[in-house]
Amino acid sequence: MILDAARAAAGQLFTPEFRAVFFKTLGLTILALIALWFGIREVFDWLAMPWIDAMLPGLPSWTGWLGLIAAIVAGMGLALGLALLVAPVTAIVAGLFLDDVAEVVEKTSYPGDRPGQPVPALRAMVLAIKFFGVVILGNIVALLLLLVPGVNIGAFFLVNGYLLGREFFEFAAMRFRSEEDARDMRRRYAGTVFLAGLVVAAFLSVPVLNLLTPLFAAAMMVHLHKSLTATELRVAGARA
């Protein structure tokens, strides 16, 4: 079920029906990451550069290569900071365009089903902003766990698998259910949603391709929600 949902979502990313939302999602994701890059750089210059400038002038001339090392470390730090913010940016962008993605998926893959109802814009933004903060904190924890032997990169997948799976699934489910019902359904299928979140985290870890994470994750969770709903209806029909 999870692999079927992932294949269906990946197969729709570059279709003509997705073209409009594809460019909107990709464009906003890139703009947000560019803005964050400059923001992180300014914060770094403000906090770190005075300390580096104060340290280097007093050193012998033959240690000038330390400046190059400092620049390299700074660049790596900026890149790492930006990488940690890709997931939160994904949540914000998804909050803006999830309904657009879901509508395309529903029309093209489930034309005979009742269409979902968009999540109220204000509520969607509140949820996305709240999730933005949670994912940042989660990735800070994951960054600290990178220093723990035996955990390392697995922390990134565990944290983002859980958080992204939870958020995108509930967003997709809320088009057909109340917020509480969507949360209850996610809890009933916690293992399935988590594994689906790991697929999203794996997609997120691929450079360049991760710019499409909001589009892929939203489409995948729409397919997964449809599959789980169909399973519940079959079970209920069999019991009746």
Side-chain angles (χ1 to χ4, degrees):
M1 184 182 297
I2 295 171
L3 294 179
D4 288 342
R7 280 194 295 265
Q12 289 178 310
L13 289 181
F14 303 101
T15 59
E17 293 83 3
F18 262 65
R19 191 166 295 150
V21 68
F22 174 92
F23 285 115
K24 286 192 296 185
T25 303
L26 179 61
L28 185 59
T29 302
I30 292 174
L31 287 176
L33 290 174
I34 290 174
L36 285 170
W37 170 267
F38 284 108
I40 294 172
R41 192 179 69 176
E42 289 300 318
V43 170
F44 179 85
D45 289 345
W46 175 55
L47 293 176
M49 291 309 296
W51 179 81
I52 294 174
D53 289 339
M55 290 291 294
L56 292 179
L59 296 176
S61 58
W62 56 267
T63 60
W65 54 270
L66 290 175
L68 177 60
I69 294 178
I72 293 174
V73 172
M76 292 173 61
L78 290 173
L80 179 60
L82 189 66
L84 291 176
L85 290 173
V86 171
V89 167
T90 290
I92 291 291
V93 173
L96 295 174
F97 296 117
L98 175 65
D99 285 311
D100 293 342
V101 176
E103 185 176 350
V104 174
V105 173
E106 291 166 10
K107 285 182 177 179
T108 55
S109 300
Y110 311 96
D113 292 0
R114 174 177 66 88
Q117 298 298 313
V119 179
L122 181 59
R123 184 56 184 161
M125 281 306 302
V126 169
L127 292 172
I129 292 172
K130 177 182 177 182
F131 184 60
F132 180 87
V134 171
V135 174
I136 287 179
L137 291 176
N139 277 276
I140 290 174
V141 172
L143 177 61
L144 295 176
L145 290 177
L146 289 176
L147 304 176
V148 179
V151 178
N152 299 329
I153 198 65
F156 170 86
F157 288 98
L158 291 175
V159 169
N160 285 294
Y162 172 74
L163 293 176
L164 294 176
R166 183 187 72 177
E167 181 69 10
F168 280 102
F169 183 82
E170 289 186 8
F171 266 136
M174 281 192 294
R175 286 179 56 82
F176 297 91
R177 306 164 186 267
S178 67
E179 187 173 338
E180 186 60 34
D181 286 344
R183 191 174 296 114
D184 287 341
M185 184 179 189
R186 190 262 304 168
R187 288 169 179 161
R188 287 198 303 275
Y189 298 101
T192 300
V193 173
F194 173 66
L195 291 176
L198 289 179
V199 175
V200 175
F203 193 96
L204 181 68
S205 67
V206 181
V208 181
L209 191 62
N210 59 8
L211 296 176
L212 301 178
T213 301
L215 196 62
F216 171 77
M220 178 182 174
M221 290 304 180
V222 170
H223 286 295
L224 184 61
H225 175 260
K226 283 285 187 179
S227 296
L228 291 174
T229 300
T231 299
E232 287 192 337
L233 291 175
R234 285 196 299 271
V235 172
R239 289 175 178 173

